[in-house]
Amino acid sequence: MFNPWPEVGTSLDQVATPMPVIDEDRLAANVSRAQRYLESHGKAFRPHIKTHKIAAVARQQVEVGAVGINCQKVSEAEVFADAGFEDILITYNILGAPKLARLRALHERVARLSVVADSVAVVDGLAAAFEAGRPLAVLVECDTGGRRCGVQTPEDAAALGERIAAAPGLRFMGILTYPATGGAENVEAFIVRTMELLAAKGIECPVRSNGGSPDLFSAHLVPSATEHRAGTYVYNDRSMVRAGHCTTDDLAMHVLATVVSRPAPDRAVLDCGSKALTSDLLGFSDYGMIEGFEGARIVSLSEEHAVVDLRGCARVFPEVGAMVRVVPNHTCVVSNLFDRMVFHRDGVVTRVEAVDARGTVW
């Protein structure tokens, strides 16, 4: 049976495509840069593992100083608990008896497990599942402009925090937000007011967790936040370049692809379709940037084909059989499309890591 995974020492031009490849030096630089920045501003860093879903990469993040990790679903957290991680935050409303039973079992084996809630229904479900002898830490999720989940006002946050604090099986840990990009002023105002309201009730708010890669290097503009969460920064992607968060020299992930057809002078076809490149446009009009061939636009994806419009490309595009590197619009989704990731240094394979939490979406 054909084994697509290359051995250490293999040149990338010998790797089967389509294949996501991770630049070791850029990865390490991204991890270090973020950690040092947050430390310089007195904030804890809690990386979101949804971007890579790889235990070995999470260990790199913790080894340079991260306080713990951020998971999105119970199933993700289970995988990382199995890998030995002892400080895990799950930033998703957990509902229903089956998931609460799994959460309880996870709580028994993770030293520091915390979750979020943004409604009475979620809090009461958690309260019924946990006991005073080993209470579960809960943060109130707040909508500070991101318009996703979260209570809408500081008054709502304080009221829900009071309900958590009163539940014997729960322990109020603080508040959390995933704000709109550029929303530092709103985040700070929301945190400060919520803390005032909680203090008036005699309730401490030890953790104030802010988040997002686009605003990672603006975390100092929210002085009341105690920690920051970010995921995409570890690899970076086309959207992060557009946002000014990084440059193309900070892009650690590329999808290696092969030109499989040149059916017309103005068109090429690559072997990285929707099963290799995400169809998540993230506001772009095409499906990825082909490194070194600006103006060549991936205009459509079918399952196994990426169609490239060459009319705006000034350079001569490679012929059939040649390899190109594609910068994905959204790297986090690409991670969930592959069983393994190939890591390299200067174009030579250094390791192949299983995507440990691939498919953990429940």
Side-chain angles (χ1 to χ4, degrees):
M1 182 177 177
F2 172 66
N3 180 5
W5 312 114
E7 295 181 356
V8 172
T10 301
S11 172
L12 286 186
D13 61 13
Q14 299 300 310
V15 171
T17 64
M19 184 71 70
V21 295
I22 310 300
D23 186 302
E24 294 272 25
D25 293 332
R26 291 181 178 186
L27 167 67
N30 291 341
V31 170
S32 178
R33 176 189 176 210
Q35 186 67 42
R36 299 290 87 82
Y37 162 75
L38 288 166
E39 287 178 352
S40 73
H41 291 283
K43 297 187 185 300
F45 188 29
R46 183 179 296 276
H48 204 319
I49 58 80
K50 70 182 177 68
T51 298
H52 54 75
K53 290 177 170 274
I54 298 173
V57 175
R59 288 192 191 97
Q60 285 183 253
Q61 294 169 309
V62 171
E63 284 169 0
V64 301
V67 295
I69 61 171
N70 178 188
C71 296
Q72 196 72 349
K73 298 292 183 70
V74 175
S75 53
E76 273 187 343
E78 289 170 337
V79 170
F80 282 83
D82 289 343
F85 290 85
E86 296 186 339
D87 190 326
I88 301 174
L89 166 65
I90 304 174
T91 48
Y92 206 89
N93 285 329
I94 300 169
L95 295 157
K99 290 181 181 178
L100 288 169
R102 285 168 51 206
L103 181 66
R104 183 177 173 124
L106 185 65
H107 186 46
E108 291 300 319
R109 61 193 183 97
V110 174
R112 294 173 296 281
L113 179 68
S114 51
V115 301
V116 301
D118 72 350
S119 70
V120 168
V122 174
V123 169
D124 288 354
L126 294 169
F130 291 86
E131 299 169 355
R134 186 164 163 69
L136 176 69
V138 184
L139 294 87
V140 174
E141 184 167 3
C142 306
D143 179 5
T144 57
R147 299 185 63 81
R148 195 164 67 183
C149 296
V151 297
Q152 297 298 295
T153 67
E155 289 73 20
D156 293 338
L160 198 59
E162 186 175 22
R163 192 179 188 94
I164 293 166
L170 305 180
R171 177 164 57 94
F172 177 66
M173 181 63 74
I175 58 176
L176 172 147
T177 187
Y178 184 80
T181 302
E185 185 175 346
N186 289 339
V187 175
E188 178 66 11
F190 199 111
I191 291 175
V192 169
R193 179 57 178 157
T194 301
M195 291 176 65
E196 291 173 348
L197 293 168
L198 287 167
K201 298 173 184 289
I203 299 172
E204 294 185 359
C205 185
V207 175
R208 287 90 67 187
S209 184
N210 193 17
S213 284
D215 276 349
L216 171 56
F217 294 101
S218 300
H220 63 281
L221 299 179
V222 186
S224 295
T226 59
E227 76 170 22
H228 197 91
R229 312 174 323 280
T232 309
Y233 86 97
V234 70
Y235 291 157
N236 287 312
D237 56 22
R238 192 181 181 196
S239 72
M240 292 295 99
V241 174
R242 178 183 59 189
H245 167 76
C246 67
T247 72
T248 55
D249 291 336
D250 303 309
L251 295 169
M253 176 192 275
H254 295 84
V255 176
L256 281 186
T258 298
V259 180
V260 294
S261 180
R262 288 294 309 272
D266 63 354
R267 188 164 78 250
V269 181
L270 310 179
D271 61 355
C272 53
S274 62
K275 291 179 178 177
L277 285 180
T278 173
S279 56
D280 189 350
L281 286 169
L282 280 184
F284 291 99
S285 60
D286 51 0
Y287 295 91
M289 179 178 69
I290 304 173
E291 189 174 81
F293 296 94
E294 289 72 16
R297 300 178 60 249
I298 303 175
V299 292
S300 68
L301 298 179
S302 52
E303 290 182 62
E304 307 292 355
H305 299 86
V307 176
V308 185
D309 183 341
L310 301 176
R311 288 176 293 179
C313 185
R315 290 186 60 192
V316 175
F317 199 76
E319 294 297 327
V320 171
M323 281 188 184
V324 294
R325 297 189 186 195
V326 180
V327 178
N329 291 349
H330 192 180
T331 184
C332 308
V333 186
V334 173
S335 291
N336 202 49
L337 296 174
F338 288 86
D339 291 329
R340 292 174 174 82
M341 293 280 163
V342 174
F343 292 71
H344 71 96
R345 179 171 286 111
D346 297 326
V348 177
V349 175
T350 53
R351 54 180 165 142
V352 177
E353 297 284 358
V355 182
D356 302 289
R358 184 189 180 194
T360 51
V361 295
W362 57 89

